[in-house]
Amino acid sequence: MPPLQLFLLSLPGLYFNSVLLVWFFVQFSEHGLIFSIARSFSVLKPLLRCMLYGIVPGLIVSNVIVFFGTNSILLISIPGMVGAAISAWLLHKEILGNVQNKKTGNIAIAVVFLAMAALVLWAILQTEPIH
């Protein structure tokens, strides 16, 4: 797979991971350490809902495509990427609903995303140089 295509295919997952890291930081700063199982499930409810509406349907569609015998890596990975992007968008909206300063939340997500994207691009170019 060409390096540029590999980088572009990783962008939805990077967005989901950066939103997830910021969400965990916001939840930890708001709730601290949680030792109660019932309370931990109530804190994780928005995350579980976002994953249920985005990642899970994307993975189910990807598995159906594989089951019917398609060998195209791009065709198999597109539903998962769309599902990750939908989950990240829903979780991003959840973060902006909980944070007092929406600009700070967006900046934090953007900084984490750009740092992760730069590291992934560097790793891709180290393993697969451009010809």
Side-chain angles (χ1 to χ4, degrees):
M1 184 179 295
L4 181 62
Q5 185 180 8
L6 185 61
F7 177 69
L8 292 176
L9 290 176
S10 68
L11 288 179
L14 290 173
Y15 176 52
F16 178 73
N17 286 337
S18 60
V19 171
L20 190 64
L21 282 171
V22 172
W23 183 80
F24 276 123
F25 180 75
V26 168
Q27 293 302 319
F28 183 73
S29 65
E30 183 179 326
H31 298 286
L33 292 175
I34 299 173
F35 297 105
S36 168
I37 293 176
R39 186 166 172 231
S40 66
F41 278 117
S42 69
V43 170
L44 287 176
K45 192 181 293 185
L47 175 63
L48 296 174
R49 184 176 53 245
C50 293
M51 292 182 71
L52 183 65
Y53 293 152
I55 290 179
V56 172
L59 293 178
I60 290 172
V61 171
S62 292
N63 285 327
V64 168
I65 291 172
V66 169
F67 179 74
F68 286 117
T70 304
N71 290 331
S72 170
I73 293 175
L74 185 63
L75 185 62
I76 292 169
S77 60
I78 285 177
M81 293 180 341
V82 170
I86 290 171
S87 289
W89 177 69
L90 291 171
L91 197 58
H92 194 148
K93 282 180 29 180
E94 181 70 32
I95 290 172
L96 294 181
N98 289 344
V99 175
Q100 283 77 22
N101 190 354
K102 294 179 187 348
K103 184 178 177 182
T104 305
N106 282 332
I107 290 172
I109 291 171
V111 166
V112 172
F113 175 76
L114 290 175
M116 290 175 75
L119 289 173
V120 166
L121 183 61
W122 177 78
I124 289 171
L125 292 178
Q126 291 296 318
T127 58
E128 296 183 26
I130 298 176
H131 303 292

